[in-house]
Amino acid sequence: MEELKLVKDNGKKSIVTVGDVKIGDGFLVIAGPCSVENENQINESALAVKKAGANILRGGAYKPRSSPYSFQGLGKDGLILLSNAGKLANMPVITEVIDTRDIELVCRYADIIQIGARNMQNYSLLTEVGKTGKPVMLKRGFYATVNEWLSSAEYILNEGNKNVILCERGIRTFETLTRNTLDLSSVALLRKLTHLPIIVDPSHATGRADLIEPMSLSAILSGCDGLMIEVHPTPNEALSDTEQAISTEAFAMLMGKIENTVEFKKTI
Ligand code: PEP
Ligand code: MN
C-alpha cells in the first residue's frame, strides 16, 4: 500500500451521488443488458428493471469484445438509445468507454462512465476520465491484484475526480467451469483498505445465469455497496454474453430475495 494515498481508508466512506442515487450510502442495484441492441430491447429492459427496484440502468454501446468478429456495440446510436431509456424509466445510466477519443461523447449521454476489466491499466484512459470529474466505475482487471486495482483508482483520483467506484467482476484462475472466479475476499479486504464504494458484478464473474442468485446473495454478505447484474428481455437472443443474462422475470424474483437480505433503498 506504499504508493497509495488518495484511495486509502480515511475513516470516512465516500459517497458518489448520481441524480437521486447515492452510491456508497445504502445498498443499490445496477441492472440492464450487456449491450444496447435496439430501442425496444433497451426500453423494455429499463422499464422492467426499474419496476423490479433497480436503481441504475446499464447497457454497453462500445463493447470490448475478445473477438473482432463479435458484435461491437451500436456506438453513438447505442448511447442515445441508452440515455433515452434512462429518461423513460427515470434512472441514471452507466456505460463503458474504451477509447479516449469517445470520452466527450460518452460523458454527454452517460451519468456514470465504466472502465472495463480490459482497460483497468490503460493509464491514458484513466487519466482522461479523471479529468472529466464524472462518476467512474472501475472494474477489476482479469489478472490484477487488489493493489494494482487500487493503483488504477489512484490515477483517477489524482486528477481531482473524487467520484470513483470499484467493481469486482471476478479474476481469471485455473477454473474453467465458470467464466472467472468471483473474489469476494477482495470485497471484504477493500472495506479495510479504501473509502471507495464497492460494487460486485456476479454476471461477468461467473458467466452463468444459474449462478447469479447465489453469488449475488453471497456478495451482499461480503460487505459490498451494491450489485451490477446483466438482464435481458430474451436472454437466449442476446447479442453478447447470452449465457450469463437473466430474464426480467428472474431479475424481479432475485430482487425480492435481495430485499430480504439487505436494507435496500428503492427509488420507485
Ligand atoms: C461489461 O460490463 O459489459 C464488461 C464488458 O465487463 P468486463 O469489463 O468486466 O468484462
Ligand atoms: Mn457483458
Side-chain angles (χ1 to χ4, degrees):
M1 290 286 285
E2 224 173 299
E3 293 134 26
L4 302 175
K5 292 183 193 139
L6 303 168
V7 295
K8 274 191 176 172
D9 179 38
N10 53 9
K12 194 170 171 285
K13 265 188 82 178
S14 21
I15 295 170
V16 177
T17 304
V18 191
D20 298 336
V21 182
K22 288 191 188 319
I23 305 165
D25 177 22
F27 197 81
L28 65 95
V29 176
I30 304 170
C34 180
S35 306
V36 177
E37 299 171 6
N38 57 60
E39 189 174 19
N40 252 350
Q41 173 251 14
I42 192 64
N43 286 352
E44 209 182 306
S45 304
L47 293 171
V49 299
K50 173 75 177 186
K51 188 159 175 245
N55 309 82
I56 297 172
L57 176 66
R58 67 151 283 147
Y62 297 94
K63 297 304 301 176
R65 305 307 300 282
S66 299
S67 163
Y69 309 116
S70 302
F71 176 59
Q72 304 286 314
L74 298 180
K76 184 178 179 184
D77 292 343
L79 293 176
I80 295 170
L81 292 176
L82 177 68
S83 163
N84 289 343
K87 289 193 183 107
L88 176 74
N90 191 24
M91 301 171 94
V93 299
I94 177 168
T95 197
E96 180 166 351
V97 66
I98 58 178
D99 193 312
T100 49
R101 292 170 295 187
D102 301 322
I103 291 176
E104 207 185 310
L105 188 67
V106 171
C107 283
R108 213 179 301 156
Y109 293 104
D111 300 291
I112 308 172
I113 304 172
Q114 177 172 312
I115 300 291
R118 291 161 190 77
N119 276 311
M120 190 208 81
Q121 287 178 313
N122 182 338
Y123 299 114
S124 51
L125 193 57
L126 299 177
T127 305
E128 290 304 315
V129 297
K131 285 182 188 154
T132 67
K134 269 255 178 190
V136 177
M137 188 170 84
L138 177 66
K139 298 190 89 175
R140 182 179 186 179
F142 312 143
Y143 296 104
T145 64
V146 168
N147 216 45
E148 287 162 346
W149 185 14
L150 286 174
S151 294
S152 290
E154 187 90 18
Y155 263 88
I156 305 171
L157 291 164
N158 193 37
E159 294 301 321
N161 189 345
K162 293 191 167 65
N163 300 309
V164 179
I165 305 144
L166 299 171
C167 178
E168 169 61 62
R169 46 79 72 213
I171 47 175
R172 189 161 286 179
T173 66
F174 48 78
E175 183 54 70
T176 54
L177 296 182
T178 48
R179 184 174 178 182
N180 291 286
T181 295
L182 178 54
D183 182 11
L184 289 181
S185 58
S186 82
V187 178
L189 177 62
L190 285 168
R191 271 277 163 268
K192 313 227 173 279
L193 302 181
T194 181
H195 54 84
L196 299 176
I198 308 154
I199 302 292
V200 171
D201 169 355
S203 303
H204 293 88
T206 63
R208 292 178 56 128
D210 59 349
L211 298 185
I212 304 305
E213 180 180 310
M215 290 303 96
S216 295
L217 300 178
S218 306
I220 292 171
L221 300 182
S222 73
C224 63
D225 296 293
L227 296 165
M228 179 161 83
I229 300 171
E230 286 192 347
V231 180
H232 196 285
T234 46
N236 297 338
E237 293 166 24
L239 295 183
S240 55
D241 287 350
T242 173
E243 285 92 15
Q244 69 199 36
I246 60 171
S247 66
T248 51
E249 294 80 12
F251 179 69
M253 299 249 294
L254 172 59
M255 286 299 282
K257 296 195 179 170
I258 291 172
E259 282 162 27
N260 287 335
T261 311
V262 66
E263 195 180 333
F264 186 77
K265 282 185 193 158
K266 272 200 176 180
T267 49
I268 47 172

